[in-house]
């Protein structure tokens, strides 16, 4: 007998199994017959799925992990720059945004950096006075055990201030301490 069932709407099920016995007379159109038929089809489908799962080849957990890792490498990690791959497991590094953060930092740095030739515009002080002040600030920084960022920002503030204003020798130390405290 062919596996075609036009009446039940399910192909692949023999005609004898497609229509389970009806609970309401011979017509088979009652509500109870539709419920019993849908339950019968669900059971058949679940048995079919269970049988197909049993036919799949067994894959060990180690092989599944290797397959997952390979898919991640091919689809996700291929787009991450090399410099950020070692920080993927650290949530605080925000690897997805590293490139945007870096581009923003470069843009802001250009906007707020001081003129590299500002010492040529200074009349009363020269490079040796600046270097003496920076050495003195490094000693203060070391004695107070401040963060490295504090020193970097201090030098940045000093350079930006020197590029905008004329400074005398008496004011150099005051500018340095003020920049350190900012």
């Amino acid at each position: 007998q062919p596996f075609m069932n036009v009446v039940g709407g399910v192909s692949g099920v023999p005609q004898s199994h497609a229509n389970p016995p009806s609970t309401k007379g011979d017509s088979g159109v009652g509500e109870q017959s539709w419920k019993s038929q849908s339950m019968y089809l669900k059971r058949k489908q679940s048995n079919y799925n269970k049988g197909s799962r049993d036919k799949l080849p067994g894959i060990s957990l180690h092989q599944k992990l290797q397959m997952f890792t390979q898919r991640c490498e091919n689809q996700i990690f291929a787009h991450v720059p090399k410099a950020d791959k070692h920080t993927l497991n650290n949530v605080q590094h925000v690897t997805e945004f590293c490139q945007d953060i870096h581009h923003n930092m470069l843009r802001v740095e250009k906007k707020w950096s001081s003129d590299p030739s500002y010492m040529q515009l200074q009349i009363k002080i020269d490079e040796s006075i600046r270097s003496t002040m920076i050495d003195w600030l490094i000693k203060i920084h070391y004695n107070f055990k401040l963060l490295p960022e504090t020193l970097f920002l201090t030098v940045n503030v000093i350079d930006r201030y020197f590029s905008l204003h004329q400074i005398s020798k008496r004011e150099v130390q005051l500018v340095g301490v003020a920049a350190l405290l900012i």
Side-chain angles (χ1 to χ4, degrees):
Q1 188 177 27
F3 284 81
M4 301 272 286
N5 183 8
V6 179
V7 177
V10 178
S11 61
V13 179
Q15 183 70 26
S16 61
H17 296 296
N19 296 323
S22 173
T23 57
K24 186 176 181 183
D26 291 346
S27 64
V29 292
E31 183 179 329
Q32 198 67 343
S33 69
W34 284 107
K35 286 182 182 178
S36 63
Q37 188 174 10
S38 66
M39 293 294 287
Y40 175 77
L41 291 175
K42 284 180 185 176
R43 268 187 271 130
K44 273 295 198 184
Q45 186 177 10
S46 69
N47 288 340
Y48 175 76
N49 290 341
K50 191 185 300 182
S52 65
R53 268 188 252 130
D54 295 338
K55 294 176 187 175
L56 289 175
I59 299 174
S60 70
L61 186 61
H62 180 69
Q63 289 173 328
K64 288 180 183 178
L65 182 63
Q66 284 180 335
M67 291 168 54
F68 175 74
T69 306
Q70 186 64 35
R71 276 193 305 249
C72 288
E73 282 289 330
N74 292 341
Q75 297 173 0
I76 299 169
F77 302 142
H79 305 291
V80 176
K82 288 181 184 178
D84 298 330
K85 284 190 179 182
H86 68 280
T87 62
L88 283 174
N89 294 332
N90 190 344
V91 178
Q92 295 176 345
H93 275 275
V94 195
T95 306
E96 303 88 34
F97 303 111
C98 281
Q99 284 184 324
D100 295 334
I101 292 170
H102 185 69
H103 290 301
N104 184 43
M105 288 174 68
L106 288 175
R107 185 178 51 82
V108 170
E109 183 181 16
K110 289 177 185 175
K111 180 180 177 183
W112 295 106
S113 63
S114 61
D115 182 22
S117 62
Y118 74 88
M119 286 305 286
Q120 295 172 354
L121 302 174
Q122 290 290 335
I123 300 168
K124 299 176 183 173
I125 62 171
D126 59 355
E127 291 88 2
S128 64
I129 293 175
R130 180 190 177 274
S131 68
T132 305
M133 181 191 55
I134 298 297
D135 290 340
W136 177 71
L137 285 172
I138 290 172
K139 289 177 187 174
I140 293 174
H141 177 267
Y142 178 76
N143 289 335
F144 285 108
K145 297 180 176 115
L146 301 173
L147 293 174
E149 291 86 3
T150 306
L151 181 63
F152 303 147
L153 289 172
T154 301
V155 173
N156 186 357
V157 169
I158 290 169
D159 289 340
R160 287 170 45 196
Y161 188 80
F162 281 179
S163 67
L164 297 175
H165 301 285
Q166 292 292 325
I167 305 297
S168 67
K169 288 183 182 181
R170 292 181 333 157
E171 298 170 338
V172 170
Q173 195 172 16
L174 179 64
V175 171
V177 171
L180 183 65
L181 294 175
I182 289 176

